[in-house]
Amino acid sequence: MINEFSHVFAFFLLAIVFVAGGLMTNFFIRPHKPNELKLSIYECGEDPIGSAWLKFNIRFYIVALIFILFDVEIVFLFPWAVVYKQMGSLAFYEMLVFLAVLIVGFAYVWVKGDLDWVRPKPYVAKLDDLISRDMPRIAPRPAPVISQPVPEEIAVN
């Protein structure tokens, strides 16, 4: 039993030696001439301005998750295509069901609007939207009763 684990241990040690050997070889062979331009921050061809702690639009993450989801599911098509003729018609119908599930998921994401990259216009609520006149949040005060007549200069016609 120890002999069987010795093979695993030998491969583990060999992996460590290869990684450490590569890093040490790189350290001794590479040119080491740092200057201000090499040590400066570089971000996609633009000089960074401002703080790096920015809030990103959630659409970046949603599109990335959708891409990964469909990409991983499409990977299942390649092994199926290789052995399709050997598996027969049952495999074909199973793949049709699998593709139907993918298409339904894709249609759901499309209808929901997660694939639209156009930034939606923000909805700015108005006072009339917040406080309905049909169902006020606060009971309206009764109008004051004016016992004296209103002068003609103030009265609105």
Side-chain angles (χ1 to χ4, degrees):
M1 183 165 167
I2 294 177
N3 191 19
E4 295 170 0
F5 285 113
S6 66
H7 297 295
V8 175
F9 184 68
F11 279 113
F12 184 69
L13 284 178
L14 190 63
I16 290 175
V17 167
F18 272 114
V19 171
L23 289 173
M24 287 186 347
T25 305
N26 183 19
F27 180 76
F28 290 121
I29 292 177
R30 69 182 173 137
H32 186 68
K33 298 177 182 174
N35 60 29
E36 186 177 334
L37 185 61
K38 284 184 180 180
L39 297 176
S40 66
I41 300 171
Y42 181 77
E43 183 68 33
C44 299
E46 297 289 329
D47 292 329
I49 298 172
S51 174
W53 294 97
L54 299 174
K55 290 185 179 181
F56 285 98
N57 192 346
I58 192 69
R59 291 181 184 274
F60 287 106
Y61 303 110
I62 291 176
V63 169
L65 286 173
I66 292 169
F67 172 76
I68 289 172
L69 176 73
F70 286 112
D71 193 38
V72 168
E73 289 178 349
I74 293 299
V75 167
F76 289 121
L77 288 174
F78 290 110
W80 171 81
V82 171
V83 295
Y84 167 65
K85 288 186 180 180
Q86 299 167 357
M87 295 177 70
S89 63
L90 179 63
F92 177 73
Y93 294 119
E94 287 177 352
M95 190 51 69
L96 283 181
V97 170
F98 179 74
L99 289 175
V101 170
L102 278 181
I103 291 170
V104 167
F106 182 70
Y108 173 75
V109 168
W110 192 345
V111 168
K112 194 175 174 188
D114 287 338
L115 297 177
D116 297 335
W117 195 254
V118 178
R119 191 175 189 177
K121 293 181 180 179
Y123 174 74
V124 179
K126 297 185 172 97
L127 187 61
D128 291 338
D129 297 337
L130 296 175
I131 300 173
S132 172
R133 291 187 178 150
D134 298 333
M135 296 182 65
R137 294 183 189 177
I138 301 172
R141 294 182 191 171
V145 178
I146 301 175
S147 58
Q148 299 176 356
V150 178
E152 290 182 21
E153 305 95 39
I154 300 177
V156 178
N157 292 333

